[in-house]
Amino acid sequence: MPTSQQVASYNAALNFAERQVRSLVDKHPDFFPMYTVGGKWHHAGEKWTQWTDGFLGGMMWQFYLHGKNDFWREKAEHYSKLLEHRQHDRDVHDLGFIFLSTYLPWYELTGDERLQEVLIQAGRTLAMRFKEKGQYLRSFVSDESLFIDIMMNVPIIFYAAIEAGDRELARVAAAHCRTTRDKLVRPDGSTAHEGIFDLQTGQFLHENTHQGLAPNSAWARGLAWSLYGYSKCYALTGEQEFLDGAERNARYWIERLPADGVPFWDFHADTRQPPPCGAQKESSAGAIAASGLLDLSRMAKYTDSRQRYEHAALKMLDALVTPEYLAIDTPGWEGILKHGVYHTKKNLGVDESVMWGEYFFVEALTKVAANQFGRVSAEAVARNRERYERLT
């Protein structure tokens, strides 16, 4: 359990995060940033793909859950509505990122069926990316490409399947998880960023990477996506195989986490070399993994595992709330977390604030400070498993 001192420091970090986000929306209303340049959000840098828009509104929902401030409720609804049209977006594999952070908390607070319809449609849209030959959801890059990132998005297909009673959606989601487990998650729990398939036969050809050090390395953010993604899939289905996948990722992560509690951008990086390809810290990967490990600490079967996951999560958060990573003592810095990384090879958002790092940091802090663990309680998982079993 976190100490009172830890909770106090997390609340202070959340208060700082609120100030930073309020300044952002005051300066640049209706703007959805992705990463900073020199600590500034508003710039003309390349985006590569449009996948992060849900995280700003998602933070606003987290702020509301934390403090029940009506200002954040109003802003969260406004920024969420701006994304509604993207429930039909066929160009990205990131609809889970966009809608699970915005429309899901909105629906859970209100019970408005119109909001749930958006979530279900987003899940149906994402499922259209499924390749029968190969049994995977294709990435935004090409038909033959499977990204580890999609593990954080496939939960919206499970959600749509369960809520709509759609067996086909459930089949697609489960098949994708199993293909990813068998082709991208390695026996030691590390992950490849991308898998390439033969479109004619569906045969897996080889590992690849766009953002990691090498095809056979362990890109830190990709591993965090897998860890958290499988834990979300377990929470929605109660399927033991998904919990097993998340715990395999967690073991690799914890056993190789640096002593200061924050990962380097790739677990295979030569940290004797300078950044960006060497000793570059990756605060966003730490924030993602911390939030996922907090959930695992509530869902794992054994007490020692639960304690280990919580300890690792709090260790990362304790590091991230220090001025080395939290921009609280960095004048003029517009983000919340420093030392994040977007795309090393493209030199996009390297050693900057990145919007997903901001969101998952705020989400993890809110889980601890406001006890936001309802979706991963034993009762919730049991209910979800009962509903999922009707589809399988």
Side-chain angles (χ1 to χ4, degrees), residues 50-51 53 83-95 98-99 121-122 125-126 128-129:
Q50 190 71 19
W51 64 285
D53 291 354
L83 304 175
E84 186 167 322
H85 67 285
R86 297 198 65 189
Q87 65 185 293
H88 303 289
D89 189 343
R90 297 286 304 276
D91 294 330
V92 297
H93 60 241
D94 303 296
L95 297 183
I98 293 169
F99 289 99
Q121 180 56 55
T125 301
L126 182 59
M128 294 177 188
R129 308 187 74 82

Side-chain angles (χ1 to χ4, degrees), residues 82-341:
L82 294 177
L83 304 175
E84 186 167 322
H85 67 285
R86 297 198 65 189
Q87 65 185 293
H88 303 289
D89 189 343
R90 297 286 304 276
D91 294 330
V92 297
H93 60 241
D94 303 296
L95 297 183
F97 285 137
I98 293 169
F99 289 99
L100 292 178
S101 57
T102 54
Y103 273 73
L104 182 56
W106 194 1
Y107 170 68
E108 289 176 338
L109 283 167
T110 65
D112 186 338
E113 292 183 0
R114 292 171 298 177
L115 304 175
Q116 190 183 52
E117 289 169 3
V118 173
L119 287 161
I120 292 171
Q121 180 56 55
R124 294 191 188 282
T125 301
L126 182 59
M128 294 177 188
R129 308 187 74 82
F130 190 68
K131 309 297 291 185
E132 286 294 343
K133 292 183 178 179
Q135 297 284 290
Y136 62 93
L137 296 160
R138 57 152 291 184
S139 80
F140 81 95
V141 172
S142 62
D143 277 351
E144 66 269 20
S145 167
L146 161 63
F147 271 22
I148 195 67
D149 316 44
I150 300 173
M151 276 309 305
M152 277 292 284
N153 290 282
V154 72
I156 200 169
I157 304 180
F158 276 125
Y159 179 87
I162 294 166
E163 295 302 320
D166 191 319
R167 285 186 170 84
E168 178 61 13
L169 287 179
R171 179 188 74 85
V172 164
H176 175 86
C177 291
R178 290 165 183 150
T179 299
T180 302
R181 175 197 62 195
D182 296 341
K183 305 304 182 185
L184 297 190
V185 181
R186 304 182 185 114
D188 66 359
S190 65
T191 55
H193 179 201
E194 182 183 36
I196 302 298
F197 291 77
D198 185 309
L199 291 177
Q200 299 303 313
T201 66
Q203 179 183 358
F204 177 74
L205 298 178
H206 59 84
E207 296 177 352
N208 193 33
T209 192
H210 293 263
Q211 293 176 269
L213 181 68
N216 64 348
S217 73
W219 174 49
R221 193 164 79 246
L223 180 59
W225 291 145
S226 184
L227 184 164
Y228 198 175
Y230 276 106
S231 74
K232 279 181 171 287
C233 291
Y234 173 71
L236 284 164
T237 68
E239 286 288 293
Q240 181 66 37
E241 62 182 303
F242 301 149
L243 179 60
D244 291 343
E247 293 198 273
R248 184 150 43 117
N249 294 147
R251 284 192 294 273
Y252 185 95
W253 183 281
I254 292 170
E255 289 169 2
R256 291 162 178 81
L257 191 66
D260 71 350
V262 180
F264 294 98
W265 72 286
D266 193 296
F267 282 95
H268 290 194
D270 184 352
T271 56
R272 297 168 298 179
Q273 300 299 317
C277 293
Q280 174 62 56
K281 288 292 188 171
E282 221 296 49
S283 61
S284 78
I288 297 159
S291 197
L293 286 167
L294 285 171
D295 284 3
L296 281 179
S297 75
R298 268 61 181 177
M299 297 189 296
K301 303 295 186 183
Y302 302 106
T303 300
D304 58 343
S305 295
R306 293 197 295 268
Q307 292 174 342
R308 190 183 190 205
Y309 300 149
E310 182 176 74
H311 175 78
L314 297 181
K315 179 179 180 178
M316 287 187 280
L317 290 179
D318 287 345
L320 293 176
V321 298
T322 66
E324 173 63 26
Y325 293 94
L326 192 70
I328 195 165
D329 290 339
T330 308
W333 195 275
E334 295 180 349
I336 301 165
L337 274 186
K338 301 178 291 183
H339 306 312
V341 177

